[in-house]
Amino acid sequence: MRHAKKINHLGRTDAHRKAMLSNMATSLIMHKRISTTLAKAKALRMYVEPIVTRSKNDTTHSRRMVFAELQNKYAVTELFREISPKIAERPGGYTRILKTGFRKGDNAEMCIIEFVDFNETYTVEKSKKKSTRTRRSSKKAAAPAENVVNEAPAAEVEAPAAE
């Protein structure tokens, strides 16, 4: 029986699966976005999110624990320098999976997995505030414009007479 066994084996042995997920996590950290199948992306999300959570605490111990999973010192440096400051306030859900269609050869469902805070299309900046306009403010702005409009025809009348 398969009670409480939620890991997707992905048709691979344990060593092959661990190596593949480690390599995919390294690629995701270095490139911030990768394209893969939906099943691998879901397995990768379960693998990489605890690693990213551990990177919030920048200590020697947490760096060693992350290096034990990734086996790539450049990816560990990138994770602790670039990614962890951006996701410091986020309580989880660091990755996003976007379905892109089906692969032509075997009809496997393809997707893009990416870090949420590194996609400028979907991120909303808090510094930009939408200015609200009310009728009251537009009426005040229209009043000085009417005075300028009244003065303009007088200038136009003088111009043809000067010619």
Side-chain angles (χ1 to χ4, degrees):
M1 287 189 266
R2 274 193 93 249
H3 296 299
K5 295 184 179 181
K6 64 179 183 176
I7 186 170
N8 187 351
H9 295 286
L10 300 171
R12 288 163 172 79
T13 61
D14 185 50
H16 185 188
R17 186 174 54 253
K18 285 180 181 176
M20 182 191 67
L21 289 174
S22 175
N23 290 335
M24 288 177 69
T26 300
S27 296
L28 180 64
I29 290 168
M30 297 302 284
H31 301 289
K32 313 297 186 280
R33 171 188 300 175
I34 58 172
S35 177
T36 183
T37 62
L38 185 63
K40 286 180 188 176
K42 288 180 178 179
L44 179 61
R45 179 171 48 187
M46 288 176 48
Y47 181 82
V48 81
E49 296 234 354
I51 293 173
V52 175
T53 302
R54 189 173 292 275
S55 75
K56 287 182 178 183
N57 185 13
D58 191 4
T59 61
T60 304
H61 178 67
S62 61
R63 281 182 179 262
R64 285 178 179 167
M65 295 295 286
V66 169
F67 182 77
E69 293 288 329
L70 298 179
Q71 295 293 316
N72 186 332
K73 65 182 180 180
Y74 302 110
V76 173
T77 304
E78 180 79 12
L79 177 65
F80 279 88
R81 261 195 209 145
E82 302 294 325
I83 297 172
S84 65
K86 274 195 147 180
I87 54 101
E89 301 86 31
R90 187 175 288 276
Y94 312 112
T95 57
R96 173 188 296 129
I97 295 176
L98 302 168
K99 295 180 182 179
T100 58
F102 296 92
R103 188 162 53 197
K104 190 170 184 178
D106 59 354
N107 206 29
E109 192 168 6
M110 298 298 289
C111 67
I112 293 172
I113 183 168
E114 64 184 4
F115 282 113
V116 172
D117 294 322
F118 287 89
N119 187 343
E120 291 79 22
T121 306
Y122 291 112
T123 55
V124 177
E125 293 184 17
K126 295 178 183 177
S127 62
K128 294 181 181 178
K129 291 185 179 178
K130 187 177 179 182
S131 61
T132 58
R133 294 187 62 194
T134 61
R135 289 182 166 201
R136 187 174 295 168
S137 64
S138 63
K139 285 181 182 178
K140 288 181 182 178
E146 291 174 357
N147 294 339
V148 174
V149 173
N150 292 338
E151 295 174 11
E156 291 177 22
V157 173
E158 295 174 9
E163 289 179 299

